[in-house]
Amino acid sequence: MAAVRLKNVVKRFGGFQIIHGANIEVDDGEFVVFVGPSGCGKSTLLRMIAGLEDISGGEIAIGGKVVNDVEPADRGIAMVFQSYALYPHMSVEQNLSFGLRMNGNPKADTERRVNRAAEILRIAELMKRRPRQLSGGQRQRVAIGRAIVREPQVFLFDEPLSNLDAELRVQMRVEISRLHKELGVTMIYVTHDQTEAMTLADRIVVLNAGNIEQIGAPLDLYDDPANRFVAGFVGSPKMNFMAAKVVGNDGGAVTVELANHCGAKLRKPLSGAPPAVGSEVVLGVRPEHFFEAGEGDCDIAIKADVAEHLGSVSYVYASAGASAGASAGPNPGQEELIIEREASRQRANGDHMVVSIKAGRSLLFDKSGARIR
């Protein structure tokens, strides 16, 4: 096992910089997930740790050793890719042992490692089959087994579940989590799937356009995001953002008027310096943090457009139009909201409804997206 340290890591392609001074510390035995939208640089960052991409600046260390100029095979890492990359003409056993045999590893040790991987992944009964005889989930297990037999210091996963259907993704998430607990090895995992990130990670690194927006435990990012990007990216369905303006400031709290909700006002206590009266701000509310009318600090009227029923809960996709003469905030015009409701309280499409917001269950952001605390 080994810790991984990235210090001021930069990546350029020609004159275009895609990673902007990344600083990340992954502790020995920790499971860290890189998450972010497509093109944010998460896979590039992983490939630089693996040595598959050169770094343009900064320093990468694995197990306390700087590996900037170390070949991938000598870094003590094993990587699992999105594609299974199994040899179609070889059996599962041959696929697992191929790399060790090519490196001249002793036969007895190779057999020990292969049998151990098969036992951990519960694929012993598949050892004589070829890849075409396996399901997608079984192929992914074999791909992970090929990494296990190397007995690496660090496992790197690059969106390994993206080719699987929804049911298999859930199953494989459980398998990978179990594998981490059993092996106790450092793992770095790349995904754009928030559910994977939230369920697998000890800590999450949220990336956006080559920058690290925030690093933290899954629930810390969910409950206490540093900015609007993190608040909107972490969580499914995503957080609702509502245009507002500061209309009152009494030192320990601000009163905001919701631009698209007929002058509805919410008083929100703050621990830091409050924004000036007249400032345009954004109020963030998660779908599950809307309450019944009168149960919160501010009621708003909306129209239910579509209801998505998921058994115990329903998600109501609702809209609210800006009132005549309302001041134009950062998101003028019609506002789209997602409201979580108990299935028994679902509303028909087109129904008008009133929901309530609690100040303590809402977040406030300035126009740049920075959190106002």
Side-chain angles (χ1 to χ4, degrees):
M1 295 187 293
V4 178
R5 303 284 185 267
L6 280 67
K7 183 178 180 181
N8 299 323
V9 171
V10 172
K11 179 63 180 178
R12 300 184 188 90
F13 286 114
F16 184 61
Q17 185 167 318
I18 62 168
I19 300 293
H20 308 276
N23 290 282
I24 303 170
E25 295 190 4
V26 181
D27 293 334
D28 190 2
E30 191 175 22
F31 197 130
V32 169
V33 175
F34 296 170
V35 70
S38 297
C40 71
K42 55 188 182 294
S43 289
T44 299
L45 206 54
L46 193 76
R47 289 173 63 85
M48 288 194 289
I49 295 171
L52 302 177
E53 293 278 0
D54 294 331
I55 71 172
S56 306
E59 184 178 283
I60 296 176
I62 299 175
K65 176 185 176 183
V66 176
V67 296
N68 290 21
D69 300 316
V70 176
E71 292 297 317
D74 300 322
R75 295 192 177 197
I77 59 96
M79 192 160 180
V80 179
F81 296 92
Q82 179 177 344
S83 61
Y84 313 126
L86 302 178
Y87 296 108
H89 62 290
M90 293 184 184
S91 67
V92 168
E93 184 176 12
Q94 290 169 331
N95 267 282
L96 292 176
S97 63
F98 180 76
L100 297 176
R101 289 188 281 111
M102 290 298 99
N103 289 333
N105 199 62
K107 182 178 179 181
D109 185 59
T110 297
E111 291 178 354
R112 176 190 66 79
R113 295 190 191 192
V114 169
N115 290 334
R116 175 172 175 264
E119 181 182 354
I120 290 171
L121 295 169
R122 294 174 291 188
I123 56 173
E125 73 280 4
L126 307 177
M127 298 297 273
K128 301 304 179 185
R129 296 188 191 179
R130 293 189 177 182
R132 67 175 179 270
Q133 298 171 300
L134 305 176
S135 68
Q138 290 169 335
R139 292 179 191 180
Q140 192 56 270
R141 281 195 180 92
V142 177
I144 294 172
R146 194 166 50 188
I148 290 174
V149 299
R150 296 188 59 187
E151 297 184 347
Q153 298 182 80
V154 180
F155 281 86
L156 305 178
F157 295 88
D158 191 5
E159 303 206 47
L161 308 185
S162 58
N163 289 332
L164 303 181
D165 62 35
E167 183 177 353
L168 275 177
R169 287 173 76 96
V170 173
Q171 182 180 343
M172 286 305 302
R173 284 203 303 267
V174 174
E175 293 290 338
I176 290 172
S177 182
R178 182 182 61 81
L179 178 67
H180 177 248
K181 289 179 174 61
E182 186 165 340
L183 297 178
V185 177
T186 306
M187 292 185 175
I188 303 176
Y189 189 105
V190 161
T191 183
H192 63 274
D193 187 316
Q194 302 164 47
T195 303
E196 285 181 24
M198 295 291 286
T199 56
L200 288 172
D202 295 323
R203 285 190 302 143
I204 296 173
V205 178
V206 182
L207 290 127
N208 179 32
N211 293 296
I212 295 174
E213 296 285 348
Q214 190 173 356
I215 302 175
L219 291 180
D220 289 342
L221 298 186
Y222 188 83
D223 293 330
D224 192 23
N227 54 49
R228 180 173 172 176
F229 176 83
V230 176
F233 190 82
V234 175
S236 181
K238 67 180 183 179
M239 179 178 282
N240 298 283
F241 295 110
M242 308 166 72
K245 177 180 286 188
V246 176
V247 294
N249 178 346
D250 61 7
V254 293
T255 300
V256 298
E257 181 179 1
L258 303 181
N260 298 312
H261 296 277
C262 302
K265 294 181 176 64
L266 178 72
R267 183 177 183 275
K268 183 166 177 60
L270 298 176
S271 58
V277 173
S279 300
E280 292 179 346
V281 294
V282 175
L283 187 74
V285 183
R286 293 210 178 273
E288 68 270 26
H289 292 158
F290 286 99
F291 299 87
E292 292 297 307
E295 292 183 0
D297 303 305
C298 170
D299 287 354
I300 59 173
I302 56 178
K303 184 184 77 170
D305 296 325
V306 176
E308 185 178 45
H309 308 305
L310 300 176
S312 60
V313 300
S314 297
Y315 291 112
V316 177
Y317 293 78
S319 59
S323 61
S327 59
N331 184 25
Q334 195 172 69
E335 203 160 54
E336 304 295 329
L337 302 175
I338 305 173
I339 316 291
E340 181 180 309
R341 310 282 283 181
E342 292 181 14
S344 61
R345 296 181 177 181
Q346 65 193 42
R347 304 298 288 267
N349 298 347
D351 277 1
H352 291 271
M353 54 193 292
V354 176
V355 294
S356 193
I357 302 168
K358 291 184 179 180
R361 288 293 194 174
S362 65
L363 304 178
L364 207 58
F365 306 91
D366 66 19
K367 286 186 66 177
S368 72
R371 177 86 175 273
I372 302 171
R373 299 181 183 274

